[in-house]
Amino acid sequence: MDGTPIRLTPAMSSRKLQALDLIKRYYLRHGSSPTLGEIAGGLGITRQRAHSLVRALERDQMVQRARGKTRGIMLANAAAQVSESDALLQLCEAGWTVRIGNMELVPPGTLTTTPLPAGPALDHKRDIERGSGGYGRDRKRRDGAEGARVDRAGEPAGA
């Protein structure tokens, strides 16, 4: 899996349950069963110990094994053998919104967008909006006179 052995938690009382948890998580991520070597590496144990744990899980009817197959471990509960991508696709088809980047699921019918905040009130300034960007006509003269037409050189138009 990611290289670090799985630690026992209060919910897991034995290595056998750790192995079962690893197998379930592997199914969710990859859609197939782990090999004995992957179980051993994930738990930080030998391959022989991983084999005995899988046999114990099979004896307790938590998993089933297809003998002679490298990835022949199957969970007794067939619903747990769905890959992560299959589960996400099924949720999308059922109307859920899946945000993979945020690792967020939004139920169907939930408002997913937030309204934009109202912008600030804008002041209307007549002198700024005159003309075409302040070039040429209807530009305020430097001497303070308004409304007179001037050419680009600043001289009165038509002179």
Side-chain angles (χ1 to χ4, degrees):
M1 306 270 300
D2 64 356
T4 58
I6 297 174
R7 299 267 184 217
L8 281 172
T9 64
M12 298 179 209
S13 60
S14 68
R15 284 279 189 195
K16 182 174 69 172
L17 293 178
Q18 276 186 317
L20 181 63
D21 182 58
L22 184 133
I23 293 167
K24 285 180 182 179
R25 287 189 295 116
Y26 195 94
Y27 261 114
L28 285 175
R29 179 165 290 178
H30 303 286
S32 64
S33 68
T35 63
L36 291 174
E38 290 167 337
I39 295 171
L43 296 175
I45 57 177
T46 64
R47 192 174 180 280
Q48 290 77 19
R49 177 73 174 125
H51 189 255
S52 67
L53 290 172
V54 171
R55 279 186 297 183
L57 288 169
E58 183 180 26
R59 189 173 46 247
D60 293 343
Q61 298 180 350
M62 295 176 160
V63 298
Q64 299 169 351
R65 288 191 310 156
R67 302 200 191 290
K69 293 180 96 179
T70 304
R71 297 187 183 274
I73 303 168
M74 297 167 284
L75 296 171
N77 181 2
Q81 297 181 22
V82 178
S83 71
E84 183 178 343
S85 59
D86 289 339
L88 293 175
L89 286 173
Q90 289 176 0
L91 285 171
C92 286
E93 289 171 0
W96 285 68
T97 302
V98 178
R99 296 180 182 146
I100 296 175
N102 299 344
M103 295 185 68
E104 181 180 4
L105 296 173
V106 180
T110 305
L111 183 62
T112 59
T113 58
T114 56
L116 294 174
L122 299 176
D123 292 336
H124 179 74
K125 295 189 178 181
R126 185 171 176 222
D127 290 342
I128 294 174
E129 292 184 4
R130 276 187 172 175
S132 57
Y135 295 104
R137 302 180 198 153
D138 296 337
R139 190 171 68 185
K140 191 173 187 179
R141 292 183 57 161
R142 288 188 184 124
D143 63 1
E146 286 190 48
R149 292 183 171 256
V150 293
D151 64 10
R152 289 186 183 221
E155 300 298 322

